[in-house]
Amino acid sequence: MASVSVHQFAPCITCHAWSPDQSMIAFCPNNNEVHIYKMLEGKWEKIHVLHKHDQLVSGIDWSRRTDQIVTVSHDRNSYVWSLEASEWVPTLVILRLNRAALCVQWSPKENKFAVGSGAKTVCICYYEQENNWWVSKIIRKRHDSSVTSIAWHPNNILLATTSTDGKCRVFSTFIKGVDTKHSSSGSDSKFGEQIMQLDLSHSWTFGIRWSPSGNTLSYAGHDSMIYFVDDIGPSPSAQSLAFRDLPLRDVLFLSERMVIGVGYDCNPMVFAADERGLWSFLRFLDERKQTSNAKYGSQLSGTFGKLYGQSKSGSNEANESSRIRAHDNCITSVVPLKKTRDATVTTFTTAGLDGKVVTWDLQKQQDLMAYLQG
Amino acid sequence: MANSLRLYLTCIRNTLEAALCLQNFPCQEVERHNKPEVELKTSPELLLNPVLICRNEAEKCLIETSINSLRISLKVKQADELENILTKKFLRFLSMRAEAFQVLRRKPVQGYDISFLITNYHCEDMQKQKLIEFIVQFMEDIDKEISELKLSVNTRGRLVATEFLKQFI
């Protein structure tokens, strides 16, 4: 079994992030707060509640080196939290957004972070020492619809975005004074310059990620496809992989040749590339066969409750008993937990709309370990 | 006849399984708002192609999806005038109590008899399989209910007429 531990933190989890030492988890329980839990004496204890946003917190990222948490919310605000004497203190971020913020990620050097928004813009924020706040530069007029997911290239300059207009774009986010010019990176690019645009998907695109070396890009489309792009630049080569199951919401590169996709199937999917670089679907990660009657508790009122209750008992037993999985509802995010020295991930966690955080470990999966060493 | 009902319901069930992949999505038009995009229809890129499943000329089902909401509209078989009136009254009775059903829409979409609106919030609170089961069960029960109502109306009519005309014998 690949899943190591399952824990129900809340009725529903929107997004989650781990602390640098993996002892604490920060997540949003589908409201305007961020809860931080720590594992004390084998039990998860709630140690902090970050309460500053007015609406749903849609993105959380915890930086590795500077130990800061950045949160963005549907209320167009963002805060950077730092731990000062066991209290999390928010620092204001001037985002200048006029619609909801949908996703956030720290850059690899953690001197910038990017926010994707429903205003069809991407904000790149950097710290201004004089005023003690984070200011933003905005990439406008490039996206036709909301920016759903963003990912930083390891070189701290390139940023890839996905949007509900079905396209994937790569931008340069070079900021004078924050980034140092690399003479080896070729042409010096302006801020907001679009390096590449891919129109592979017929439907919305989510969950974009770069491979550990930055050579390959991967994102998921709502038409049950996953895309792998190599040679980012004027002539990229892309592979589109269609699968028979429900679409994915998020992807994660475990190594150069292995990708985990999570989505509406409630089961992580493993994709791997062979020696020639051709990607294919390997298998589902959770292969459990049990028959048990799980009790589904939910608050319902009146007539609907009665009819809903009827449907519970009258449902097709064959569907249920075939597979009881770790997750009951859609998995919304996948976050790496442990990285080996060569940046391959062997442990990762998934969180979903069922409120569970499941830890997966691939050490025991012999057939998958081969791809991790590649 | 029961066979075509099974096929019709299986088709609807499979379409709903694919269509019920909803997620929370804040409104692009108005800040700080969260509206069901399938009702709003202001951003065409957020809507998917509507699917129309017809059993025959009289019965059909329209499924419209968007990124955060799904609308299912049903047209129920109405063979004669009496069934027409009964269906209208019965479904109106249910629609007026839409709060109790949570996923029911108060007014049916133009050209249909009853509509459901399922949002991402319903998917977060309830199991997807159960929601689909509910819709399919509802469709089966509607047919049964209307037939029962029609039968009882006819029986009562016959009884009343017999009693009334007895005085003229």
Side-chain angles (χ1 to χ4, degrees), chain A residues 123-141:
Chain A
C123 307
I124 314 291
C125 305
Y126 57 95
Y127 189 61
E128 218 172 65
Q129 188 69 43
E130 306 90 58
N131 297 320
N132 190 33
W133 59 28
W134 293 76
V135 285
S136 68
K137 287 193 80 161
I138 306 187
I139 304 179
R140 281 188 228 269
K141 299 205 186 109

Side-chain angles (χ1 to χ4, degrees), chain B residues 9-59:
Chain B
L9 292 178
T10 315
C11 185
I12 292 182
R13 189 192 293 270
N14 290 338
T15 316
L16 283 179
E17 273 204 34
L20 261 175
C21 294
L22 308 174
Q23 56 179 281
N24 199 333
F25 192 79
C27 186
Q28 275 181 172
E29 311 297 317
V30 188
E31 54 176 85
R32 296 176 189 263
H33 277 225
N34 200 315
K35 304 175 202 265
E37 294 294 331
V38 75
E39 297 283 352
L40 214 56
K41 292 203 166 94
T42 48
S43 304
E45 76 269 11
L46 298 174
L47 305 171
L48 294 179
N49 291 329
V51 176
L52 183 63
I53 304 166
C54 298
R55 187 180 172 193
N56 45 46
E57 271 167 14
E59 277 185 77

Side-chain angles (χ1 to χ4, degrees), chain B residues 24-142:
Chain B
N24 199 333
F25 192 79
C27 186
Q28 275 181 172
E29 311 297 317
V30 188
E31 54 176 85
R32 296 176 189 263
H33 277 225
N34 200 315
K35 304 175 202 265
E37 294 294 331
V38 75
E39 297 283 352
L40 214 56
K41 292 203 166 94
T42 48
S43 304
E45 76 269 11
L46 298 174
L47 305 171
L48 294 179
N49 291 329
V51 176
L52 183 63
I53 304 166
C54 298
R55 187 180 172 193
N56 45 46
E57 271 167 14
E59 277 185 77
K60 50 187 180 164
C61 169
L62 178 69
I63 300 179
E64 301 160 278
T65 331
S66 72
I67 192 163
N68 62 356
S69 44
L70 171 80
R71 193 161 68 180
I72 310 159
S73 311
L74 304 171
K75 182 135 189 74
V76 179
K77 178 178 61 152
Q78 291 148 60
D80 52 21
E81 267 302 317
L82 180 61
E83 270 192 17
N84 221 341
I85 299 174
L86 286 173
T87 312
K88 213 167 86 165
K89 288 220 173 289
F90 179 60
L91 293 178
R92 205 173 79 99
F93 174 83
L94 292 178
S95 302
M96 288 202 357
R97 285 146 187 82
E99 251 108 65
F101 283 95
Q102 289 183 44
V103 291
L104 202 57
R105 194 173 185 260
R106 276 191 173 272
K107 284 191 84 103
V109 170
Q110 189 81 307
Y112 292 86
D113 293 323
I114 191 164
S115 295
F116 294 88
L117 178 68
I118 304 181
T119 61
N120 58 287
Y121 297 111
H122 297 138
C123 291
E124 284 162 17
D125 291 333
M126 301 180 249
Q127 289 267 326
K128 184 170 127 168
Q129 285 302 323
K130 305 300 177 192
L131 277 170
I132 298 175
E133 198 54 51
F134 171 71
I135 304 277
V136 169
Q137 191 74 31
F138 189 90
M139 293 177 71
E140 286 186 35
D141 289 342
I142 285 281

Side-chain angles (χ1 to χ4, degrees), chain A residues 30 76 99 145-146 204 304, chain B residues 28-29 32 45 100 123-124:
Chain A
N30 212 27
R76 305 136 61 227
R99 294 288 180 275
S145 191
S146 301
W204 317 307
F304 183 57
Chain B
Q28 275 181 172
E29 311 297 317
R32 296 176 189 263
E45 76 269 11
C123 291
E124 284 162 17

Side-chain angles (χ1 to χ4, degrees), chain A residues 153-179:
Chain A
H153 188 276
N155 71 3
N156 214 53
I157 308 278
L158 293 178
L159 182 75
T161 66
T162 55
S163 163
T164 43
D165 62 3
K167 300 192 178 67
C168 160
R169 298 175 176 86
V170 179
F171 295 94
S172 158
T173 62
F174 182 85
I175 300 179
K176 255 200 286 207
V178 179
D179 293 309

Side-chain angles (χ1 to χ4, degrees), chain B residues 1-6 55 77:
Chain B
M1 199 199 88
N3 208 9
S4 76
L5 178 67
R6 285 284 126 224
R55 187 180 172 193
K77 178 178 61 152

